């Protein structure tokens, strides 16, 4: 039977690890965007040497399960790398999530870059702007607005993907839930609390997306 009193007692215990989940999400999100923009620009201009490397990178990161990537990095590479061997689990998860989400974000950004009218780039060149100035002042601001919905979808997927961090021993929301479940075996109440917390977080990110979308509409 559902124990309402236990649910209300365990909810704040699990929610106490919210800061770990948010820290992991926001850290990975920042580096994912940097990786995504870098790869998207390389693909947009088809920069020699780097372009085939990024295509291979995307094929691997987008074509393999995130769980396998986490285990390969943290347990597999630890056999051959002192840096990985001594790396904290939270750092390892943030790094793998950044690489994985950055691969997906790059395709969203690349599609947005391609949507910018070539006439605007030609006009910028006629005004004497360099390629770097054109991409920074003309292309990226417009591409950002176009890619915003897809980027927020990637961000929400990243938030939900952080739930795998407990597999490397990170005490986040899921890690705390696993610990509580091992003690009480009240999995119904515990994982209902987990689902509600993640649901509220997703609603928060969706609201932020609406605010930013409205701001972009006002700016452009």
């Amino acid at each position: 039977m559902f124990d309402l009193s236990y649910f209300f007692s365990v909810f704040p215990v699990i929610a106490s690890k919210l800061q770990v989940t948010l820290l992991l999400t926001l850290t990975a999100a920042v580096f994912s965007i940097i990786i995504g923009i870098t790869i998207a620009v390389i693909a947009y201009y088809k920069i020699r040497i780097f372009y085939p490397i990024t295509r291979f990178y995307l094929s691997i990161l987008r074509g393999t399960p995130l769980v396998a990537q986490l285990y390969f990095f943290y347990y597999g590479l630890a056999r051959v790398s002192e840096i990985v061997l001594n790396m904290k689990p939270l750092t390892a998860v943030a790094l793998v999530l950044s690489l994985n989400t950055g691969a997906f974000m790059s395709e969203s950004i690349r599609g947005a870059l391609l949507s910018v009218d070539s006439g605007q780039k030609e006009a910028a060149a006629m005004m004497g702007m360099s390629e770097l100035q054109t991409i920074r002042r003309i292309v990226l601001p417009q591409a950002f607005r176009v890619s915003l919905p897809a980027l927020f979808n990637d961000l929400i997927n990243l938030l939900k993907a952080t739930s795998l961090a407990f597999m490397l021993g990170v005490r986040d929301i899921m890690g705390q839930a696993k610990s509580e479940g091992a003690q009480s075996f009240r999995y119904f109440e515990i994982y209902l609390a987990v689902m509600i917390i993640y649901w509220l977080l997703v609603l928060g990110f969706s609201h932020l997306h609406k605010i930013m979308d409205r701001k972009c509409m006002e700016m452009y």
Side-chain angles (χ1 to χ4, degrees), residues 141-155:
Q142 296 184 65
F144 174 75
R145 178 189 170 189
V146 173
S147 65
L148 200 58
L151 289 179
F152 262 91
N153 282 335
D154 292 330
L155 182 60

Side-chain angles (χ1 to χ4, degrees), residues 105-127:
M105 283 187 172
S106 68
E107 292 298 282
S108 301
I109 297 170
R110 185 175 72 90
L113 291 174
L114 293 172
S115 70
V116 178
D117 185 16
S118 59
Q120 297 187 43
K121 290 177 283 185
E122 294 171 1
M126 292 178 63
M127 293 174 62

